[in-house]
Coordinates of all heavy atoms in Angstrom, one line a residue:
P49 N -2.3 29.5 -5.4 CA -2.5 29.7 -6.8 C -1.6 28.8 -7.7 O -2.0 28.3 -8.7 CB -2.3 31.1 -7.1 CG -2.2 31.8 -5.8 CD -2.0 30.7 -4.8
V50 N -0.4 28.6 -7.3 CA 0.6 27.8 -8.1 C 0.1 26.4 -8.2 O 0.1 25.8 -9.2 CB 2.0 27.9 -7.5 CG1 2.9 27.0 -8.2 CG2 2.5 29.3 -7.6
F51 N -0.3 25.8 -7.0 CA -0.8 24.4 -7.0 C -2.0 24.3 -7.8 O -2.2 23.3 -8.5 CB -0.9 23.9 -5.6 CG -1.1 22.4 -5.6 CD1 -0.1 21.5 -5.9 CD2 -2.3 21.9 -5.1 CE1 -0.3 20.2 -5.9 CE2 -2.5 20.5 -5.1 CZ -1.5 19.6 -5.5
E52 N -2.9 25.2 -7.7 CA -4.1 25.2 -8.5 C -3.8 25.2 -10.0 O -4.4 24.5 -10.8 CB -5.1 26.3 -8.2 CG -5.7 26.2 -6.8 CD -6.5 27.4 -6.4 OE1 -6.9 28.2 -7.3 OE2 -6.7 27.6 -5.2
T53 N -2.9 26.0 -10.4 CA -2.4 26.1 -11.8 C -1.9 24.7 -12.2 O -2.2 24.2 -13.3 CB -1.4 27.2 -12.0 OG1 -2.0 28.4 -11.6 CG2 -0.9 27.3 -13.4
Y54 N -1.1 24.1 -11.4 CA -0.5 22.8 -11.7 C -1.6 21.8 -11.9 O -1.6 21.0 -12.8 CB 0.4 22.3 -10.5 CG 0.7 20.8 -10.6 CD1 1.6 20.3 -11.5 CD2 0.0 20.0 -9.7 CE1 1.8 18.9 -11.5 CE2 0.2 18.6 -9.8 CZ 1.1 18.1 -10.7 OH 1.3 16.7 -10.7
L55 N -2.6 21.8 -11.0 CA -3.7 20.8 -11.1 C -4.5 21.0 -12.3 O -4.9 20.0 -13.0 CB -4.6 20.9 -9.8 CG -4.1 20.4 -8.5 CD1 -5.1 20.7 -7.4 CD2 -3.7 19.0 -8.6
R56 N -4.7 22.2 -12.7 CA -5.4 22.5 -14.0 C -4.6 22.0 -15.2 O -5.1 21.3 -16.1 CB -5.8 24.0 -14.2 CG -7.0 24.4 -13.4 CD -7.5 25.8 -13.8 NE -6.5 26.8 -13.6 CZ -6.2 27.5 -12.5 NH1 -7.0 27.2 -11.4 NH2 -5.3 28.4 -12.5
A57 N -3.3 22.2 -15.2 CA -2.4 21.8 -16.3 C -2.4 20.3 -16.3 O -2.4 19.6 -17.4 CB -1.1 22.4 -16.1
K58 N -2.3 19.6 -15.1 CA -2.3 18.1 -15.1 C -3.6 17.6 -15.6 O -3.6 16.6 -16.3 CB -2.0 17.7 -13.6 CG -2.2 16.2 -13.4 CD -0.9 15.5 -13.3 CE -1.1 14.0 -12.8 NZ -1.8 13.1 -13.7
G59 N -4.7 18.2 -15.2 CA -6.0 17.7 -15.7 C -6.1 17.8 -17.2 O -6.6 16.9 -17.9
A60 N -5.6 18.9 -17.7 CA -5.6 19.1 -19.2 C -4.7 18.1 -19.9 O -5.1 17.5 -20.9 CB -5.2 20.5 -19.6
A61 N -3.6 17.8 -19.3 CA -2.7 16.8 -19.9 C -3.3 15.4 -19.9 O -3.2 14.7 -20.8 CB -1.3 16.8 -19.2
D62 N -3.9 15.1 -18.7 CA -4.6 13.8 -18.6 C -5.7 13.7 -19.6 O -5.8 12.6 -20.3 CB -5.2 13.7 -17.2 CG -4.2 13.5 -16.1 OD1 -3.0 13.4 -16.4 OD2 -4.6 13.6 -14.9
D63 N -6.5 14.7 -19.8 CA -7.6 14.7 -20.8 C -7.0 14.5 -22.2 O -7.6 13.8 -23.0 CB -8.4 16.0 -20.7 CG -9.2 16.1 -19.5 OD1 -9.4 15.1 -18.8 OD2 -9.7 17.3 -19.2
A64 N -5.9 15.2 -22.5 CA -5.3 15.1 -23.8 C -4.8 13.7 -24.1 O -5.0 13.1 -25.2 CB -4.2 16.1 -24.0
I65 N -4.2 13.1 -23.1 CA -3.7 11.7 -23.3 C -4.9 10.8 -23.5 O -4.9 9.9 -24.5 CB -3.0 11.2 -22.0 CG1 -1.6 11.9 -21.9 CG2 -2.8 9.7 -22.0 CD1 -0.6 11.6 -23.0
R66 N -5.9 10.9 -22.8 CA -7.1 10.0 -22.9 C -7.8 10.2 -24.3 O -8.3 9.2 -24.9 CB -8.1 10.3 -21.8 CG -7.7 9.7 -20.5 CD -8.8 9.8 -19.4 NE -9.1 11.1 -19.0 CZ -8.6 11.7 -17.9 NH1 -7.8 11.0 -17.1 NH2 -8.9 12.9 -17.6
A67 N -7.8 11.4 -24.8 CA -8.5 11.7 -26.0 C -7.7 11.5 -27.3 O -8.3 11.2 -28.3 CB -9.1 13.1 -25.9
R68 N -6.4 11.6 -27.2 CA -5.7 11.8 -28.5 C -4.6 10.8 -28.7 O -3.7 11.0 -29.6 CB -5.1 13.2 -28.5 CG -6.1 14.3 -28.5 CD -5.5 15.6 -28.7 NE -6.5 16.7 -28.6 CZ -6.6 17.5 -27.6 NH1 -5.7 17.5 -26.6 NH2 -7.5 18.4 -27.6
T69 N -4.5 9.7 -28.0 CA -3.4 8.8 -28.2 C -4.0 7.4 -28.6 O -5.0 7.0 -28.2 CB -2.5 8.7 -27.0 OG1 -1.4 7.9 -27.4 CG2 -3.2 8.1 -25.8
T70 N -3.2 6.7 -29.4 CA -3.5 5.4 -29.7 C -2.7 4.4 -28.8 O -2.9 3.2 -28.9 CB -3.2 5.1 -31.2 OG1 -1.8 5.3 -31.4 CG2 -4.1 5.9 -32.1
L71 N -1.9 4.9 -28.0 CA -1.1 4.1 -27.1 C -1.9 3.7 -25.9 O -2.9 4.4 -25.5 CB 0.1 4.9 -26.6 CG 1.1 5.4 -27.7 CD1 2.2 6.2 -27.1 CD2 1.7 4.2 -28.4
D72 N -1.5 2.6 -25.2 CA -2.1 2.3 -24.0 C -1.7 3.3 -22.9 O -0.5 3.7 -23.0 CB -1.7 0.9 -23.5 CG -2.3 -0.2 -24.3 OD1 -3.4 0.0 -25.0 OD2 -1.8 -1.3 -24.3
W73 N -2.5 3.6 -22.0 CA -2.2 4.6 -21.0 C -2.9 4.3 -19.7 O -3.9 3.6 -19.7 CB -2.6 6.0 -21.4 CG -4.1 6.2 -21.8 CD1 -4.6 6.1 -23.0 CD2 -5.2 6.3 -20.9 NE1 -6.0 6.2 -23.0 CE2 -6.3 6.4 -21.7 CE3 -5.3 6.5 -19.5 CZ2 -7.6 6.5 -21.1 CZ3 -6.6 6.6 -19.0 CH2 -7.7 6.7 -19.8
T74 N -2.3 4.7 -18.6 CA -2.9 4.6 -17.3 C -2.5 6.0 -16.6 O -1.3 6.3 -16.6 CB -2.3 3.5 -16.5 OG1 -2.5 2.3 -17.2 CG2 -3.0 3.4 -15.1
V75 N -3.5 6.7 -16.1 CA -3.3 7.9 -15.4 C -3.2 7.6 -13.9 O -4.2 7.0 -13.4 CB -4.3 9.0 -15.7 CG1 -4.2 10.2 -14.8 CG2 -4.3 9.4 -17.1
L76 N -2.2 8.0 -13.2 CA -2.1 7.8 -11.8 C -2.1 9.1 -11.1 O -1.4 10.0 -11.4 CB -0.8 7.1 -11.4 CG -0.6 6.7 -9.9 CD1 -1.6 5.8 -9.4 CD2 0.8 6.2 -9.7
R77 N -3.0 9.2 -10.1 CA -3.2 10.4 -9.3 C -2.9 10.1 -7.9 O -3.8 9.7 -7.1 CB -4.6 11.0 -9.5 CG -4.9 11.4 -10.9 CD -6.3 12.0 -11.0 NE -6.6 12.5 -12.3 CZ -7.7 12.8 -12.8 NH1 -8.8 12.5 -12.1 NH2 -7.9 13.3 -14.0
P78 N -1.7 10.4 -7.4 CA -1.3 10.1 -6.0 C -1.9 11.2 -5.1 O -2.1 12.4 -5.6 CB 0.2 10.2 -6.0 CG 0.6 11.0 -7.2 CD -0.5 10.8 -8.2
G79 N -2.1 10.9 -3.9 CA -2.5 11.8 -2.9 C -1.3 12.7 -2.5 O -0.3 12.8 -3.3
R80 N -1.4 13.4 -1.4 CA -0.3 14.3 -0.9 C 1.0 13.5 -0.8 O 1.0 12.4 -0.1 CB -0.7 14.9 0.4 CG 0.3 15.9 0.9 CD -0.2 16.6 2.2 NE -0.7 15.7 3.2 CZ 0.0 15.0 4.0 NH1 1.3 15.0 4.0 NH2 -0.6 14.2 4.9
L81 N 2.0 13.9 -1.4 CA 3.3 13.2 -1.4 C 4.1 13.5 -0.1 O 4.2 14.6 0.3 CB 4.1 13.6 -2.6 CG 3.5 13.3 -4.0 CD1 4.3 13.9 -5.1 CD2 3.3 11.8 -4.2
T82 N 4.6 12.4 0.4 CA 5.5 12.5 1.6 C 6.8 11.9 1.3 O 7.0 11.2 0.3 CB 4.8 11.8 2.8 OG1 4.6 10.4 2.5 CG2 3.5 12.4 3.2
D83 N 7.8 12.1 2.1 CA 9.2 11.7 1.9 C 9.6 10.5 2.7 O 10.8 10.3 2.9 CB 10.1 12.9 2.1 CG 10.0 14.0 1.1 OD1 9.7 13.6 -0.1 OD2 10.1 15.2 1.5
G84 N 8.7 9.7 3.2 CA 9.1 8.5 4.0 C 9.7 7.5 3.1 O 9.8 7.6 1.9
P85 N 10.2 6.4 3.7 CA 10.9 5.3 3.0 C 9.9 4.4 2.2 O 10.4 3.6 1.4 CB 11.6 4.5 4.1 CG 10.7 4.7 5.3 CD 10.2 6.2 5.2
G86 N 8.6 4.6 2.4 CA 7.7 3.8 1.7 C 7.3 2.6 2.6 O 8.2 2.1 3.3
T87 N 6.1 2.1 2.5 CA 5.7 1.0 3.3 C 5.4 -0.2 2.5 O 5.3 -1.3 3.0 CB 4.4 1.3 4.1 OG1 3.4 1.6 3.2 CG2 4.7 2.5 5.0
G88 N 5.2 0.0 1.2 CA 4.7 -1.1 0.3 C 3.3 -1.4 0.4 O 2.8 -2.3 -0.2
L89 N 2.5 -0.6 1.2 CA 1.1 -0.8 1.4 C 0.3 0.4 0.9 O 0.6 1.6 1.4 CB 0.8 -1.0 2.9 CG 1.5 -2.2 3.5 CD1 1.3 -2.3 5.0 CD2 1.0 -3.5 2.9
V90 N -0.6 0.2 0.0 CA -1.3 1.3 -0.7 C -2.8 1.0 -0.8 O -3.2 -0.1 -0.6 CB -0.7 1.5 -2.0 CG1 0.8 1.9 -1.9 CG2 -0.8 0.3 -3.0
R91 N -3.5 2.0 -1.2 CA -4.9 1.9 -1.6 C -4.9 2.5 -3.0 O -4.6 3.7 -3.2 CB -5.8 2.7 -0.7 CG -7.2 2.5 -1.0 CD -8.1 3.0 0.1 NE -9.5 2.8 -0.2 CZ -10.5 3.2 0.6 NH1 -10.2 3.8 1.7 NH2 -11.7 3.0 0.3
L92 N -5.4 1.7 -4.0 CA -5.3 2.1 -5.4 C -6.7 1.8 -6.0 O -7.1 0.6 -6.0 CB -4.2 1.3 -6.2 CG -4.1 1.6 -7.6 CD1 -3.5 3.0 -7.9 CD2 -3.2 0.5 -8.2
A93 N -7.4 2.8 -6.5 CA -8.7 2.6 -7.1 C -9.1 3.8 -7.9 O -8.4 4.8 -7.8 CB -9.7 2.4 -6.0
P94 N -10.2 3.7 -8.7 CA -10.6 4.9 -9.4 C -10.9 6.1 -8.5 O -10.8 7.2 -9.0 CB -11.9 4.4 -10.1 CG -11.6 2.9 -10.3 CD -10.9 2.5 -9.0
S95 N -11.3 5.8 -7.3 CA -11.6 6.9 -6.4 C -11.2 6.4 -5.0 O -11.7 5.4 -4.6 CB -13.1 7.3 -6.4 OG -13.3 8.4 -5.5
V96 N -10.4 7.2 -4.3 CA -10.0 6.9 -2.9 C -10.2 8.1 -2.0 O -10.2 9.2 -2.6 CB -8.6 6.4 -2.8 CG1 -8.4 5.1 -3.6 CG2 -7.6 7.4 -3.2
P97 N -10.4 8.0 -0.7 CA -10.5 9.1 0.1 C -9.2 9.9 0.1 O -8.1 9.4 -0.2 CB -10.7 8.5 1.5 CG -11.1 7.1 1.3 CD -10.5 6.7 0.0
H98 N -9.2 11.2 0.4 CA -8.0 12.0 0.4 C -7.1 11.4 1.4 O -7.5 10.9 2.4 CB -8.4 13.5 0.8 CG -9.1 14.2 -0.2 ND1 -8.6 14.7 -1.4 CD2 -10.5 14.6 -0.3 CE1 -9.5 15.3 -2.1 NE2 -10.7 15.2 -1.4
G99 N -5.8 11.5 1.1 CA -4.8 11.0 2.0 C -3.4 11.3 1.4 O -3.2 11.9 0.4
A100 N -2.4 10.7 2.1 CA -1.0 10.9 1.7 C -0.5 9.6 1.2 O -1.0 8.5 1.5 CB -0.2 11.4 2.9
V101 N 0.7 9.6 0.6 CA 1.4 8.5 0.1 C 2.9 8.8 0.0 O 3.2 9.9 -0.5 CB 0.8 7.9 -1.2 CG1 0.9 8.9 -2.3 CG2 1.4 6.6 -1.6
D102 N 3.7 7.9 0.4 CA 5.2 8.1 0.2 C 5.6 8.1 -1.2 O 5.1 7.2 -2.0 CB 6.0 7.1 1.0 CG 5.9 7.3 2.5 OD1 5.7 8.4 3.0 OD2 6.0 6.2 3.2
R103 N 6.5 8.9 -1.6 CA 7.0 8.9 -3.0 C 7.5 7.6 -3.4 O 7.4 7.2 -4.5 CB 8.1 10.0 -3.1 CG 7.5 11.4 -3.2 CD 8.7 12.5 -3.2 NE 8.2 13.8 -3.5 CZ 7.7 14.6 -2.6 NH1 7.6 14.3 -1.4 NH2 7.2 15.8 -3.0
A104 N 8.2 6.9 -2.5 CA 8.7 5.6 -2.8 C 7.6 4.6 -3.2 O 7.8 3.8 -4.1 CB 9.5 5.0 -1.6
D105 N 6.4 4.7 -2.5 CA 5.3 3.8 -2.9 C 4.7 4.2 -4.2 O 4.3 3.4 -5.0 CB 4.3 3.9 -1.8 CG 4.7 3.2 -0.5 OD1 5.5 2.2 -0.6 OD2 4.3 3.5 0.6
V106 N 4.7 5.5 -4.5 CA 4.3 6.0 -5.8 C 5.2 5.3 -6.9 O 4.7 4.8 -7.9 CB 4.2 7.5 -6.0 CG1 3.9 7.9 -7.4 CG2 3.3 8.1 -5.0
A107 N 6.5 5.4 -6.7 CA 7.4 4.8 -7.7 C 7.2 3.3 -7.8 O 7.2 2.8 -9.0 CB 8.8 5.1 -7.2
A108 N 6.9 2.6 -6.7 CA 6.7 1.2 -6.8 C 5.4 0.9 -7.6 O 5.4 -0.1 -8.4 CB 6.6 0.6 -5.4
V109 N 4.4 1.7 -7.3 CA 3.1 1.4 -8.1 C 3.3 1.7 -9.5 O 2.8 1.0 -10.4 CB 2.0 2.3 -7.5 CG1 0.8 2.3 -8.4 CG2 1.6 1.8 -6.1
L110 N 4.0 2.8 -9.9 CA 4.2 3.1 -11.3 C 5.0 2.0 -12.0 O 4.6 1.6 -13.1 CB 5.0 4.4 -11.4 CG 4.3 5.7 -11.2 CD1 5.2 6.9 -11.0 CD2 3.2 5.9 -12.3
A111 N 6.0 1.5 -11.3 CA 6.7 0.3 -11.9 C 5.8 -0.9 -12.1 O 5.9 -1.5 -13.2 CB 7.9 0.0 -11.0
A112 N 5.0 -1.2 -11.1 CA 4.1 -2.3 -11.3 C 3.1 -2.1 -12.4 O 2.7 -3.0 -13.1 CB 3.4 -2.6 -9.9
L113 N 2.6 -0.9 -12.5 CA 1.6 -0.6 -13.5 C 2.1 -0.8 -14.9 O 1.4 -1.2 -15.9 CB 1.0 0.9 -13.4 CG 0.1 1.1 -12.2 CD1 -0.1 2.6 -12.0 CD2 -1.2 0.4 -12.3
L114 N 3.4 -0.5 -15.1 CA 4.1 -0.7 -16.4 C 4.0 -2.1 -16.9 O 4.0 -2.4 -18.1 CB 5.5 -0.2 -16.4 CG 5.7 1.3 -16.3 CD1 7.2 1.6 -16.0 CD2 5.3 1.9 -17.5
H115 N 3.9 -3.1 -15.9 CA 3.9 -4.5 -16.3 C 2.5 -5.1 -16.2 O 2.4 -6.3 -16.2 CB 4.9 -5.2 -15.3 CG 6.3 -4.8 -15.5 ND1 7.1 -5.1 -16.6 CD2 7.0 -3.9 -14.7 CE1 8.2 -4.5 -16.5 NE2 8.2 -3.8 -15.4
E116 N 1.5 -4.3 -16.0 CA 0.1 -4.8 -15.9 C -0.8 -4.2 -17.0 O -1.4 -3.1 -16.8 CB -0.4 -4.5 -14.5 CG -1.8 -5.0 -14.3 CD -2.1 -6.4 -14.7 OE1 -1.6 -7.3 -14.1 OE2 -2.7 -6.6 -15.8
P117 N -0.9 -4.8 -18.1 CA -1.8 -4.3 -19.2 C -3.2 -4.2 -18.8 O -4.0 -3.4 -19.4 CB -1.5 -5.2 -20.3 CG -1.0 -6.5 -19.7 CD -0.3 -6.1 -18.5
G118 N -3.7 -4.9 -17.8 CA -5.1 -4.8 -17.4 C -5.5 -3.5 -16.8 O -6.7 -3.2 -16.6
T119 N -4.5 -2.6 -16.5 CA -4.9 -1.3 -16.0 C -4.9 -0.2 -17.1 O -5.3 0.9 -16.8 CB -3.9 -0.8 -14.9 OG1 -2.6 -0.7 -15.5 CG2 -3.9 -1.7 -13.7
A120 N -4.6 -0.6 -18.3 CA -4.6 0.4 -19.4 C -6.0 1.0 -19.6 O -7.1 0.3 -19.5 CB -4.2 -0.3 -20.7
G121 N -6.1 2.3 -19.8 CA -7.3 3.0 -20.0 C -8.0 3.4 -18.8 O -9.1 3.9 -18.8
Q122 N -7.3 3.3 -17.6 CA -7.9 3.6 -16.3 C -7.2 4.9 -15.8 O -6.0 5.1 -16.0 CB -7.7 2.5 -15.3 CG -8.5 1.3 -15.6 CD -8.5 0.3 -14.5 OE1 -8.8 0.7 -13.3 NE2 -8.1 -0.9 -14.7
T123 N -8.0 5.6 -15.0 CA -7.4 6.7 -14.2 C -7.6 6.2 -12.7 O -8.7 5.9 -12.3 CB -8.2 8.0 -14.4 OG1 -8.1 8.4 -15.7 CG2 -7.7 9.1 -13.5
L124 N -6.5 6.1 -12.0 CA -6.4 5.5 -10.7 C -5.9 6.5 -9.7 O -4.9 7.2 -10.0 CB -5.6 4.3 -10.7 CG -6.0 3.2 -11.6 CD1 -5.0 2.1 -11.7 CD2 -7.3 2.6 -11.1
E125 N -6.5 6.5 -8.5 CA -6.0 7.4 -7.4 C -5.2 6.5 -6.4 O -5.5 5.3 -6.3 CB -7.2 8.1 -6.7 CG -7.9 9.0 -7.7 CD -9.0 9.8 -7.0 OE1 -9.4 9.5 -5.8 OE2 -9.6 10.6 -7.7
L126 N -4.3 7.1 -5.7 CA -3.4 6.3 -4.9 C -3.1 7.0 -3.6 O -2.8 8.2 -3.6 CB -2.0 6.1 -5.6 CG -0.9 5.4 -4.8 CD1 -1.2 4.0 -4.5 CD2 0.4 5.6 -5.6
V127 N -3.3 6.3 -2.5 CA -2.9 6.8 -1.1 C -2.3 5.6 -0.4 O -2.4 4.5 -0.8 CB -4.1 7.4 -0.4 CG1 -4.6 8.7 -1.0 CG2 -5.2 6.4 -0.2
A128 N -1.8 5.9 0.8 CA -1.3 4.8 1.7 C -2.5 3.9 2.0 O -3.7 4.4 2.1 CB -0.7 5.4 2.9
G129 N -2.3 2.6 2.2 CA -3.4 1.8 2.5 C -3.0 0.5 3.2 O -1.9 0.4 3.8
N130 N -3.7 -0.6 3.0 CA -3.5 -1.9 3.6 C -3.1 -3.0 2.6 O -2.8 -4.1 3.0 CB -4.7 -2.3 4.4 CG -4.9 -1.4 5.6 OD1 -4.0 -0.9 6.2 ND2 -6.2 -1.1 5.8
A131 N -3.2 -2.7 1.3 CA -2.8 -3.8 0.3 C -1.4 -3.6 -0.1 O -0.9 -2.5 -0.3 CB -3.8 -3.7 -0.9
T132 N -0.7 -4.7 -0.4 CA 0.6 -4.6 -1.0 C 0.5 -4.0 -2.4 O -0.6 -4.0 -3.0 CB 1.3 -6.0 -1.1 OG1 0.6 -6.8 -2.1 CG2 1.4 -6.7 0.2
V133 N 1.5 -3.5 -2.9 CA 1.5 -2.9 -4.2 C 1.0 -3.9 -5.2 O 0.2 -3.6 -6.1 CB 2.9 -2.4 -4.6 CG1 3.0 -2.0 -6.1 CG2 3.3 -1.2 -3.7
E134 N 1.5 -5.1 -5.2 CA 1.1 -6.2 -6.1 C -0.3 -6.5 -6.0 O -1.0 -6.6 -7.0 CB 2.0 -7.4 -5.9 CG 3.5 -7.3 -6.1 CD 4.2 -6.5 -5.0 OE1 3.7 -6.4 -3.9 OE2 5.4 -6.1 -5.3
E135 N -0.9 -6.6 -4.8 CA -2.3 -6.8 -4.6 C -3.1 -5.7 -5.1 O -4.2 -5.9 -5.8 CB -2.6 -7.0 -3.1 CG -2.1 -8.3 -2.5 CD -2.1 -8.3 -1.0 OE1 -2.3 -7.2 -0.4 OE2 -2.0 -9.4 -0.4
A136 N -2.7 -4.5 -4.9 CA -3.5 -3.3 -5.3 C -3.5 -3.2 -6.8 O -4.6 -2.9 -7.4 CB -2.9 -2.0 -4.7
V137 N -2.4 -3.4 -7.5 CA -2.3 -3.3 -8.9 C -3.2 -4.5 -9.6 O -3.9 -4.3 -10.5 CB -0.9 -3.3 -9.4 CG1 -0.8 -3.5 -10.9 CG2 -0.2 -2.0 -9.0
A138 N -3.0 -5.7 -9.0 CA -3.8 -6.8 -9.5 C -5.3 -6.5 -9.4 O -6.1 -6.8 -10.3 CB -3.4 -8.1 -8.8
A139 N -5.7 -6.0 -8.3 CA -7.2 -5.7 -8.1 C -7.6 -4.6 -9.0 O -8.7 -4.7 -9.6 CB -7.4 -5.2 -6.6
A140 N -6.8 -3.6 -9.3 CA -7.1 -2.5 -10.2 C -7.3 -3.1 -11.6 O -8.1 -2.6 -12.4 CB -6.1 -1.4 -10.2
A141 N -6.5 -4.1 -11.9 CA -6.5 -4.8 -13.2 C -7.7 -5.7 -13.4 O -7.9 -6.3 -14.4 CB -5.2 -5.5 -13.5
G142 N -8.4 -6.0 -12.3 CA -9.5 -6.9 -12.3 C -9.2 -8.3 -12.1 O -10.0 -9.2 -12.3
H143 N -8.0 -8.6 -11.5 CA -7.6 -10.0 -11.2 C -8.0 -10.3 -9.8 O -7.8 -9.5 -8.9 CB -6.1 -10.1 -11.3 CG -5.5 -9.8 -12.6 ND1 -5.9 -10.4 -13.8 CD2 -4.5 -8.9 -13.0 CE1 -5.2 -9.9 -14.8 NE2 -4.4 -9.0 -14.4
D144 N -8.6 -11.5 -9.7 CA -9.0 -11.9 -8.3 C -7.7 -12.6 -7.7 O -7.0 -13.3 -8.3 CB -10.1 -13.0 -8.4 CG -11.4 -12.4 -8.9 OD1 -11.6 -11.2 -8.7 OD2 -12.2 -13.1 -9.5
G145 N -7.6 -12.2 -6.4 CA -6.5 -12.9 -5.6 C -5.3 -12.2 -5.9 O -4.2 -12.3 -6.1

């Protein structure tokens, strides 16, 4: 019940950001968080299969998203994958290559 309450509150906060701000925003929804050192390899898209992702990789993606205005206005899901953080963020922003 605690995690369900968290998910409802996070969903409500995400909705409020999308509906009520004039600032650029990107919502990141990571999969199940793990405590590994990070691999630098992720899968980032509007919808991804359920999976896990290291906290270090979440932090790296968040830092990269801050510098990529092309992801503004998107809600993206994140799990471990095969693309580098830079490749995944560029693809989410709609950049080829």
